[in-house]
Amino acid sequence: MAGLDVDGLGRWLRIYAASVAEHQEELTSLDAAIGDADHGANMHRGMAAVVDGLAATPPADPAALLKQTGMVLIRSVGGTSGPLYGTLFLRMASAVGGETALGPETFAKALRAGVEGLVARGKTELGDKTLYDALGPALDALDASLGDGEPLAAALHAASRAADSGRDATTPMVARKGRASYLGERSAGHQDPGATSAALLVAAAAQAVAEGA
Amino acid sequence: MAGLDVDGLGRWLRIYAASVAEHQEELTSLDAAIGDADHGANMHRGMAAVVDGLAATPPADPAALLKQTGMVLIRSVGGTSGPLYGTLFLRMASAVGGETALGPETFAKALRAGVEGLVARGKTELGDKTLYDALGPALDALDASLGDGEPLAAALHAASRAADSGRDATTPMVARKGRASYLGERSAGHQDPGATSAALLVAAAAQAVAEGA
Amino acid sequence: MKKLLNDPADLVAESLRGLDRAHPELRVDHENRIIYRADAPVSGKVGLLSGGGSGHEPAHAGFIGPGMLDAVCAGEVFTSPVPDQMAEATKKIDGGAGVLHLVWNYTGDVMNFDMAAELAAAETDTTVEAVVMNDDVAVEDSLFTAGRRGTGAAIAVEKIVGAAAEQGRSLSELADLARRVNDNSRSMGMALTSCTVPAKGSPTFDLPDDEIEIGIGIHGEPGRRRVPLAPAREIAQMLVDPVLADRDFTGGDGVLVFVNGTGATPLLELYLMYGEIAALLEKAGVVPVRTLVGPYVTSLDMAGCSVSITQLDDELLRLWDAPVATSGLRWGM
Amino acid sequence: MKKLLNDPADLVAESLRGLDRAHPELRVDHENRIIYRADAPVSGKVGLLSGGGSGHEPAHAGFIGPGMLDAVCAGEVFTSPVPDQMAEATKKIDGGAGVLHLVWNYTGDVMNFDMAAELAAAETDTTVEAVVMNDDVAVEDSLFTAGRRGTGAAIAVEKIVGAAAEQGRSLSELADLARRVNDNSRSMGMALTSCTVPAKGSPTFDLPDDEIEIGIGIHGEPGRRRVPLAPAREIAQMLVDPVLADRDFTGGDGVLVFVNGTGATPLLELYLMYGEIAALLEKAGVVPVRTLVGPYVTSLDMAGCSVSITQLDDELLRLWDAPVATSGLRWGM
Ligand SMILES: Nc1ncnc2c1ncn2[C@@H]1O[C@H](COP(=O)(O)OP(=O)(O)O)[C@@H](O)[C@H]1O
Ligand SMILES: Nc1ncnc2c1ncn2[C@@H]1O[C@H](COP(=O)(O)OP(=O)(O)O)[C@@H](O)[C@H]1O
Ligand SMILES: [Mg+2]
Ligand SMILES: [Mg+2]
Ligand SMILES: [Mg+2]
Ligand SMILES: [Mg+2]
């Protein structure tokens, strides 16, 4: 495969939107346990707006698509996840420059730039029990697989497994950031909702690339 | 028996207070169905105050006792039942004059005067689904029994049975007075709380006279 | 039952102690459970007295102050206060121009206020007039029943008559005005859930998760009928229709619309209901010119709302807008 | 779930429509979900902007008006509004003296307001300062966590800074004042029941009939700990103790005590709680000189309460007493 063009990226976002819709109740239930019971609604509102936006004003190239996605998320989600996911896509957009199809390395680098932007915005680190605990391991797995010469589809598949493990690993953590941190020790024993939606984002990328191949 | 003196009347009120305490929840549940769920608390508050008052300032004669009872009920109950039961006792007090022991006829006449006062205050008539539906039949049974030459104990026993039947007969009635009237047809099928406490009052009189005999 | 109290039997007394501490501009006679303006009696002004059972806060004590009531009597939860309280309160606020009793139409309240007026007449030379407020269209009105209940429109009556009393109007003028505002008003309420009376400790009625009660009273008395849970739009219609069917509100200088919360319904929902209700009124040619949205006449922890409409004219509008300084309603001072 | 709404997805939008109709003294930008003073921008006055998730009514829109806020942004239920809204609102209320963002300390709110300030700086020449309010002692404070939550004390900050803004004070003076009132304030809350977020349709948490949650947040976030249901007297102690342990309130010119209802708790109970709390404060040598009791910062239909204490001095007292005209707080005008 040559790389992810604007259609491939659009596929990614549509698959993610569908996946968020499917898991909306689960995300909200997880947030009810250690937060305020809105993460499912937030992500669903945002991704539905993203998909609508893609249909209404189809972007010309990857940078435009990623920027539009970031802006729509920031404008429509609110809460904690809006600025964080929004920043992720805005930084990805800056990182891809004018390319029309993102090769594996470009995609991986852009994703890392996006996650770094998110981390800076959230002032978070690994082990805080946030979406970064799913995204961080996914980035490392992606780079490692690509370094081993795997194609993007396989590498994203590995990244998705790493994100899932990272998500699972949030369960015993005591939250240090976000609303769950108010619970202190009581936050342990609950899977983080943001890490859960982040793992779905990586899974959607793997699926989008696999389907495009 | 010579008649009901101040001790006998005090016995009546103490028995009634105990009976109301025992039936408090039942009275409140009946009121919850077609009213505002306070008839048990109202009657209990009032009769507890009456009993306390009798101990604190023992009245000298029947008129004083009945007047004190009426005043305490009016001062402590509130709602619909306070003025009604209060009026009953105040009118009884006026009716007994200076007598120190009430013979059967005097007691019966006084009770009728009391109930008439209550009816005037409540602007009610038989069939309205109120306490009068228990008290009215009780008065008639009392007069009939006494007319047949029965002693007061037996006559009050008959009156109590009549009050119980009157109380039971309120169940199918559609209320025309008080809070239950707001329900219209929906008030049918529920026993009236006020008729229930009124039947207890007549039963307490029968018991007080029987025990004093 | 989950409530912030110690012993249910002490709830009213202890709540009045907190109210007393919280409001230096009021005085509380704890023995008689009377709450009154610290500056009572106001010389030359007709005293305005209302009250009723507790559990409707901010009614009644929340409406005491310049431009509204002079005193209220607090009964037990959902139980009318007693004549002694009312007679004593009448004395406390008699500034020489007489005292107007504003009575919410419930058998108990009417009887107790009647007896209080008799007491006051016997014991003092205070002139007392009473006006009975009965605005609830859920109840059939008839000479042979207890008549319609006094509900939300009492707020309009008490506010408007309170403003007129500050102008120095006479007792009989104020009584006429109270009757006029009452005649100009209609209300209708509904409940999503029952309230729980503390002394009982469990809900007054069982309402399935998918049913609501239309025509509820302010003491959790069951209403006209039960219907399936419906969207706010339809509920608004079920409240507005009987109100408009009972009186023509298209004339005059527009209406006051009061959307009342019964206790547990959030303001977020009440504003939504106001939007639905205002739209229905406008469609019917009724023009809201003044609005009140919030929990003013509550029924403990009942979820639900009621709507009260008062026909205004130039005079009533000016009196509604006049300054008032109570903890429940305040503007202009 | 029993609520007065049509579709949960439309709740906020439809509630704002009702609010718009009900309050001619406000303007609503429905597209951006901004509520602002009809006379905004007030020339020469610093604009005060706050806001946050919906579901806390009367916070935040109930505090817009002369003497308090100039605008608020409304988010979805319990979800921070977005930067575009805030940037647009900032423009609307900039009267040339800059705009102060009064931000309730939640990760989402802080991030969105940060981004809004960046947007405003990029797009306009409005000077923006932000003050984050964080008064909730239930939460451990640390540089490495999200820090303490912004809860009831925001009302004191917004009222006092609002009064100072009317006097024409500068942006940096007002920011300092806001920080000072925030530093002077501590809060602690509790819940008897969970709230139900409409989009979820069921209670956020399960609380058994015989347990309460101490240290609850205003979004139904679980609190510090669960304890058995207790008498009001003991609950008051559980709220007051951590507040007084965190700051010395015995100095100055007394304190403002704010007993807040979380939505479904009747005023009758809140006054009782105030009585218990005031007694505890007095025993600890803390003197309440101003009081606010009622549902001002709610959590939808949650039953419970919170207490906020603000240390006052002569200046803060005068600013608290200064005229204010909002639908939630009003006096002196
Ligand atoms: N400082 C932070 N940095 C990164 N992620 C965070 C941070 N704080 C919270 N999160 C993530 O946000 C998620 C919650 O998102 P959401 O429920 O949409 O927002 P809110 O908490 O404002 O309601 C958490 O599960 C967590 O993964
Ligand atoms: N007008 C009336 N005349 C006589 N009795 C009445 C009248 N109205 C109501 N009642 C009686 O009062 C009872 C209710 O008393 P209670 O619950 O104590 O007062 P409230 O209705 O004020 O809460 C009813 O069950 C009925 O028997
Ligand atoms: Mg959340
Ligand atoms: Mg009753
Ligand atoms: Mg009652
Ligand atoms: Mg949220």
Side-chain angles (χ1 to χ4, degrees), chain B residues 10-68:
Chain B
R11 195 161 56 241
W12 174 29
L13 296 173
R14 273 187 292 270
I15 291 172
Y16 184 48
S19 169
V20 162
E22 192 188 321
H23 292 86
Q24 179 179 348
E25 279 187 30
E26 180 193 338
L27 295 174
T28 288
S29 294
L30 292 171
D31 197 28
I34 54 172
D36 60 351
D38 63 358
H39 189 58
N42 289 347
M43 294 306 296
H44 179 57
R45 187 172 59 250
M47 289 312 299
V50 164
V51 167
D52 285 354
L54 292 182
T57 53
D61 59 24
L65 179 144
L66 291 165
K67 180 165 182 211
Q68 177 172 322

Side-chain angles (χ1 to χ4, degrees), chain D residues 248-265:
Chain D
D248 179 5
F249 281 103
T250 53
D253 298 303
V255 299
L256 163 69
V257 184
F258 168 28
V259 174
N260 178 54
T262 58
T265 282

Side-chain angles (χ1 to χ4, degrees), chain C residues 76-91:
Chain C
E76 277 299 323
V77 170
F78 291 173
T79 301
S80 158
V82 303
D84 287 54
Q85 285 175 278
M86 298 161 175
E88 183 61 32
T90 301
K91 272 186 234 166

Side-chain angles (χ1 to χ4, degrees), chain C residues 5-148:
Chain C
L5 48 75
N6 297 301
D7 182 329
D10 302 329
L11 170 56
V12 173
E14 293 181 352
S15 183
L16 286 179
R17 276 213 279 281
L19 182 94
D20 195 4
R21 280 175 184 269
H23 293 292
E25 75 282 11
L26 301 179
R27 293 281 172 277
V28 180
D29 171 345
H30 291 281
E31 201 196 315
N32 287 303
R33 297 198 181 164
I34 302 166
I35 308 101
Y36 56 105
R37 283 172 63 162
D39 60 352
V42 181
S43 172
K45 187 182 95 68
V46 171
L48 300 184
L49 175 66
S50 191
S54 295
H56 305 300
E57 292 67 27
H60 306 278
F63 302 115
I64 305 172
M68 213 160 164
L69 301 175
D70 292 272
V72 311
C73 300
E76 277 299 323
V77 170
F78 291 173
T79 301
S80 158
V82 303
D84 287 54
Q85 285 175 278
M86 298 161 175
E88 183 61 32
T90 301
K91 272 186 234 166
K92 281 198 157 71
I93 63 170
D94 179 13
V99 173
L100 181 60
H101 290 180
L102 293 169
V103 185
W104 299 53
N105 190 36
Y106 296 92
T107 305
D109 294 75
V110 171
M111 287 196 305
N112 282 285
F113 266 105
D114 274 356
M115 294 174 86
E118 292 167 18
L119 272 180
E123 291 177 5
T124 66
D125 53 5
T126 304
T127 324
V128 172
E129 276 220 53
V131 173
V132 174
M133 301 175 289
N134 57 348
D135 51 303
D136 181 10
V137 301
V139 168
E140 293 295 323
D141 199 8
S142 143
L143 274 181
F144 306 102
T145 65
R148 288 183 161 169

Side-chain angles (χ1 to χ4, degrees), chain B residues 31 34-40 42-43 77-82 84 118-119 121-125 128-132 177-180 191-197, chain C residues 78-80 106-109 111 146:
Chain B
D31 197 28
I34 54 172
D36 60 351
D38 63 358
H39 189 58
N42 289 347
M43 294 306 296
V77 177
T80 310
S81 40
L84 290 174
L118 176 159
V119 165
R121 173 71 65 195
K123 304 193 182 67
T124 186
E125 52 187 51
D128 279 355
K129 194 173 184 127
T130 72
L131 3 97
Y132 185 40
K177 282 282 144 65
R179 219 173 278 283
Q191 181 176 311
D192 181 59
T196 308
S197 63
Chain C
F78 291 173
T79 301
S80 158
Y106 296 92
T107 305
D109 294 75
M111 287 196 305

Side-chain angles (χ1 to χ4, degrees), chain A residues 27 31 34-43 77-82 84-85 118-119 121-125 128-133 176-180 191-197, chain D residues 78-80 106-109 111-112 146 219:
Chain A
L27 295 174
D31 197 29
I34 54 172
D36 60 350
D38 63 358
H39 189 57
N42 289 346
M43 294 306 297
V77 177
T80 309
S81 41
L84 289 175
Y85 277 104
L118 176 159
V119 165
R121 173 71 65 197
K123 304 193 181 69
T124 186
E125 52 187 52
D128 280 355
K129 194 172 184 129
T130 72
L131 4 97
Y132 185 39
D133 288 306
R176 283 189 304 250
K177 283 281 146 63
R179 221 175 276 283
Q191 181 176 312
D192 181 59
T196 308
S197 63
Chain D
F78 292 173
T79 301
S80 158
Y106 296 93
T107 305
D109 294 75
M111 288 194 307
N112 282 286
H219 310 90

